[in-house]
Amino acid sequence: MSYKIEILLESYESPEGLNASDRALLDLAFKKLGSGHAPYSGFHVSAAVRTQSGALYVGTNQENASYPVGICAERVALSVSNMQSEGEAIEVMALVYRDPSGHNAQPLAPCGMCRQALREQTYRQKKPIRLIMATEGGSILATANADELLPISFTLKP
Ligand code: THU
């Protein structure tokens, strides 16, 4: 027996295709893009989340001279939201980036560690997180359940 795993992705040419609240979240992510700490890679990432009550929180990547100490924007956003909202469920995350080499055409897919963190967050809140991955040029990919980006993943709890 074999199984095929499929992920449904939405594709938009511009933010106009998103609903107003997702557009506002994306605007916030863009507004904070560049305000992180990325002197080593020059690669800036910003992740904005909206919780169930409509509260908005942002995380940006925070690098360190000891490179592995750095943390991605997504995990900063998850931590800030969980702490500030006191554990409210996250409904949506909007993710944007700026690559100094000019390769900015493809939406940024979260790294494996952040996918694991999104998976844990989904488990914690028992509700899927919509993930919007955008570019400054306008093209966007979105998925209704970020958890699906890490299929057959590690977890101690089923
Ligand atoms: N980065 C993120 O913030 N999120 C990702 O999903 C991938 C990578 C950051 C880490 C580092 O500061 C820089 O981007 C280059 O890897």
Side-chain angles (χ1 to χ4, degrees):
M1 187 184 282
S2 59
Y3 298 91
K4 187 170 183 177
I5 296 173
E6 292 184 332
I7 304 171
L8 187 69
L9 291 169
E10 303 156 35
S11 171
Y12 304 93
E13 281 175 17
S14 84
E16 304 310 308
L18 300 172
N19 68 32
S21 57
D22 285 357
R23 265 201 318 271
L25 189 68
L26 191 55
D27 284 349
L28 177 63
F30 275 126
K31 197 172 148 197
K32 297 292 180 182
L33 184 60
S35 68
H37 182 63
Y40 306 105
S41 70
F43 190 99
H44 281 273
V45 185
S46 172
V49 300
R50 187 178 70 238
T51 66
Q52 210 167 357
S53 71
L56 307 180
Y57 303 99
V58 184
T60 52
N61 54 332
Q62 306 293 323
E63 297 184 351
N64 192 284
S66 174
Y67 295 176
V69 176
I71 180 167
C72 294
E74 297 93 315
R75 280 174 291 133
V76 173
L78 293 177
S79 300
V80 168
S81 175
N82 283 326
M83 199 198 71
Q84 299 287 349
S85 76
E86 298 181 5
E88 256 185 61
I90 293 170
E91 287 190 337
V92 191
M93 173 182 281
L95 185 60
V96 301
Y97 73 104
R98 186 176 299 140
D99 185 339
S101 69
H103 295 107
N104 291 290
Q106 296 299 321
L108 177 73
C111 79
M113 203 181 273
C114 290
R115 292 179 196 208
Q116 181 74 28
L118 284 159
R119 198 217 184 301
E120 184 77 16
Q121 182 70 30
T122 306
Y123 167 77
R124 273 172 82 167
Q125 62 183 44
K126 311 253 179 304
K127 281 186 183 151
I129 300 168
R130 174 169 168 75
L131 179 67
I132 299 166
M133 298 165 276
T135 60
E136 289 191 288
S139 78
I140 294 170
L141 283 179
T143 172
N145 186 0
D147 197 24
E148 290 182 4
L149 294 182
L150 193 67
I152 325 179
S153 56
F154 172 73
T155 177
L156 290 176
K157 306 145 194 149

